[in-house]
């Protein structure tokens, strides 16, 4: 096996497109700086709603194939070469929105055996040996069953890997500070007449919003804005990105701000750091801070 770079980052996401929205600038930045960036996607999003009319005939396996192609294109835009489906392509199906009959599908990710699913991720951890793991919070950011399960699988895999002697030095959850979101929506409302969207989403529609003091780390991805926007546009079935504007919409057609500085909460650490989690706001500008790399 080829020797891996000194810095290694692992991200776990539920569906194709989640990675580009949440972490696109972070992934592009670290990939460009020579870090090994590994993305694990847990499902292919077979039950996602399709935005473009020309693609609305896609569903089930056909939509899964299209979203896998979109994911590959997004990773090319971000410069990420190591992206994998948990277990194998199609191993876990999209679970649909919480409270729907799709949650009862025995093959859906929501119904997956936790240790079995985490075991697939442990295999990747033992191969890649990441120092940093990025995952969702316990609510999955906004309560989607696949996001909640992705959180559980990521945290359980980190625990199992540590028990096998492969500890991950730093674990982060995706976050967005409330004031940043509120300011972004204020700018969006001012810009709305010039945008191809009719309505604006709400702060509560943005996953992972927390009070500012919960934020420990801010990654300035301004230099990688074009890469993030390109990756988001690659997910054409799921996202509509405004031309020349930092805004986008999901299938609900409600506009949201597009953030190129991305925020995190450090929740587990084996290293000395300037971060005092839960107090005083972001103090890190590098997820590898304190690792001496």
């Amino acid at each position: 096996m080829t020797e891996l770079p000194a810095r290694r980052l692992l991200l776990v996401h539920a569906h194709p497109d989640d990675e580009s929205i949440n972490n696109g600038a972070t992934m592009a930045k670290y990939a460009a700086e020579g870090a090994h960036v590994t993305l694990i996607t847990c499902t292919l999003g077979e039950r996602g709603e399709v935005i473009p009319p020309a693609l609305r005939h896609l569903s089930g396996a056909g939509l899964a194939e299209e979203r896998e192609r979109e994911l590959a294109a997004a990773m090319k835009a971000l410069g990420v070469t190591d992206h994998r489906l948990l277990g194998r392509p199609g191993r876990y199906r999209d679970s649909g929105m919480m409270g729907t009959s799709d949650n009862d599908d025995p093959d859906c990710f929501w119904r997956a055996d936790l240790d079995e699913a985490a075991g697939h991720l442990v295999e990747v951890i033992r191969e890649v040996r990441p120092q940093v793991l990025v995952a969702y919070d316990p609510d999955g950011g906004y309560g989607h069953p696949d996001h909640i399960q992705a959180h559980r699988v990521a945290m359980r895999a980190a625990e199992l890997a540590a028990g096998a002697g492969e500890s991950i030095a730093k674990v982060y959850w995706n976050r967005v500070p409330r004031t940043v979101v509120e300011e972004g929506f204020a700018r969006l409302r001012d810009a709305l007449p010039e945008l191809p969207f009719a309505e604006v989403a709400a702060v509560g529609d943005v996953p992972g919003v927390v009070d500012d003091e919960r934020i420990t780390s801010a990654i300035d991805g301004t230099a990688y804005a074009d890469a993030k926007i390109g990756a988001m546009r690659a997910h054409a079935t799921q996202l509509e990105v405004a031309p020349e504007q930092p805004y986008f919409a999901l299938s609900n057609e409600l506009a949201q701000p597009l953030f190129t500085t991305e925020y995190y909460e450090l929740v587990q650490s084996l290293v000395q750091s300037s971060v005092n989690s839960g107090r005083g706001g972001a103090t890190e500008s590098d997820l590898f801070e304190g690792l001496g790399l």
Side-chain angles (χ1 to χ4, degrees), residues 2 12 19 38 59-60 63 70-71 79 82 91 113 116 128-129 131 151 156 162 179 185 197 204 206 221 250 279 291:
T2 304
V12 178
E19 81 296 323
T38 301
S59 63
L63 180 55
E70 291 177 347
L71 180 60
D82 186 7
R91 173 63 185 86
D113 179 86
E116 177 191 271
V128 176
R129 295 176 289 110
Q131 298 102 341
H151 160 82
R156 179 60 173 154
T179 59
F185 273 107
F197 310 116
V206 178
L250 301 168
R279 299 178 185 175
L291 295 173

Side-chain angles (χ1 to χ4, degrees), residues 30-107:
Y30 283 115
E33 292 176 353
H36 187 89
V37 178
T38 301
L39 169 69
I40 300 297
T41 308
C42 298
T43 83
L44 283 170
E46 300 91 336
R47 293 187 166 106
E49 296 182 61
V50 176
I51 293 176
L55 296 176
R56 286 181 186 163
H57 64 282
L58 293 172
S59 63
L63 180 55
E65 290 175 5
E66 180 62 23
R67 295 194 71 177
E68 189 171 9
R69 286 191 289 269
E70 291 177 347
L71 180 60
M75 292 305 95
K76 185 175 181 180
L78 297 178
V80 173
T81 58
D82 186 7
H83 55 97
R84 319 177 191 197
L85 279 300
L86 185 67
R88 56 177 168 76
R91 173 63 185 86
Y92 298 109
R93 291 177 57 83
D94 186 337
S95 306
M97 298 301 289
M98 185 67 83
T100 65
S101 60
D102 295 331
N103 303 164
D104 299 324
D105 180 348
D107 293 325

